[in-house]
Amino acid sequence: GDSVTQMEGPVTLSEEAFLTINCTYTATGYPSLFWYVQYPGEGLQLLLKATKADDKGSNKGFEATYRKETTSFHLEKGSVQVSDSAVYFCALQRNAGNMLTFGGGTRLMVKP
Amino acid sequence: DTGVSQNPRHKITKRGQNVTFRCDPISEHNRLYWYRQTLGQGPEFLTYFQNEAQLEKSRLLSDRFSAERPKGSFSTLEIQRTEQGDSAMYLCASSPLLAGYTDTQYFGPGTRLTVL
């Protein structure tokens, strides 16, 4: 079945550091890929998405590129802020309108 | 704000009791999803509806769980004879159904269930 694997956290960085959170997936066909973010005390919010190979999703300084050859969708940001502290979830969707399959989440803590 | 709303936000119950949660999706969203999230884990799919039709159910959804969306608007998730293992955050999401496009699922704040 479909699965998503994320690097375990917590990831602790200083403000303005470079961020990478690894995500790899297993799925048949060509799924769409997503990053969701959960800030403390809030619900899941879509951060970015990519629907086909080599697409790059971007939002709020975060980027992720859909790599079919390595089945990966790593999240990156050049300079993190304290306000980026949250839990980040990678997810895939095999067909439009169907369920999301999530990874286990990676907690990011950014220190001033 | 017309986002996804869920009620109640918190529910504490004793083992063996029945509980019911409600989800109100974003207006005109055809699809409605239920997920369950335990502490430190990612959400796991439970079931989803397109309008009033329940299209898919996860194997996680035991016979004690039932979901409805009677008029294609709000949905309810009922758990009968609750067990301590049912303690989790229950998330609802909705999305439009746009032919040919990948739709975004918008999540509600969740209902946290604690079974004593």
Side-chain angles (χ1 to χ4, degrees), chain A residues 12 30 49 51 74 87 90 93-94 98 112:
Chain A
T12 303
Y30 300 91
K49 66 182 180 184
T51 59
H74 304 322
V87 182
C90 186
Q93 184 182 50
R94 185 132 41 93
N98 283 4

Side-chain angles (χ1 to χ4, degrees), chain B residues 100-115:
Chain B
Y101 292 88
T102 296
D103 50 319
T104 297
Q105 293 185 22
Y106 297 86
F107 283 80
T111 295
R112 181 169 296 283
L113 172 65
T114 302
V115 181

Side-chain angles (χ1 to χ4, degrees), chain A residues 32 36 49 97-100, chain B residues 31 33 35 48 103-105:
Chain A
S32 295
Y36 277 82
K49 66 182 180 184
N98 283 4
M99 65 184 205
L100 292 167
Chain B
R31 292 211 170 188
Y33 306 80
Y35 294 84
Y48 84 91
D103 50 319
T104 297
Q105 293 185 22

Side-chain angles (χ1 to χ4, degrees), chain B residues 63-78:
Chain B
D63 292 345
R64 297 183 298 104
F65 287 69
S66 63
E68 295 182 339
R69 195 183 183 196
K71 297 182 179 179
S73 56
F74 73 91
S75 175
T76 58
L77 178 67
E78 180 183 17

Side-chain angles (χ1 to χ4, degrees), chain A residues 57-77:
Chain A
S58 61
N59 187 25
K60 299 181 180 179
F62 290 89
E63 293 182 339
T65 301
Y66 188 164
R67 300 291 188 197
K68 180 70 175 173
E69 63 277 11
T70 54
T71 61
S72 65
F73 193 55
H74 304 322
L75 183 68
E76 297 182 335
K77 187 176 185 182

Side-chain angles (χ1 to χ4, degrees), chain B residues 38-94:
Chain B
T38 53
L39 201 60
Q41 302 297 318
E44 295 176 300
F45 169 76
L46 293 178
T47 188
Y48 84 91
F49 294 83
Q50 180 170 314
N51 300 314
E52 66 275 9
Q54 189 172 17
L55 295 188
E56 188 172 350
K57 293 193 294 185
S58 165
R59 288 170 296 175
L60 291 175
L61 212 64
S62 77
D63 292 345
R64 297 183 298 104
F65 287 69
S66 63
E68 295 182 339
R69 195 183 183 196
K71 297 182 179 179
S73 56
F74 73 91
S75 175
T76 58
L77 178 67
E78 180 183 17
I79 308 174
Q80 296 182 326
R81 305 181 303 281
T82 52
E83 302 173 355
Q84 288 184 326
D86 297 331
S87 296
M89 178 75 85
Y90 290 83
L91 300 173
C92 177
S94 71

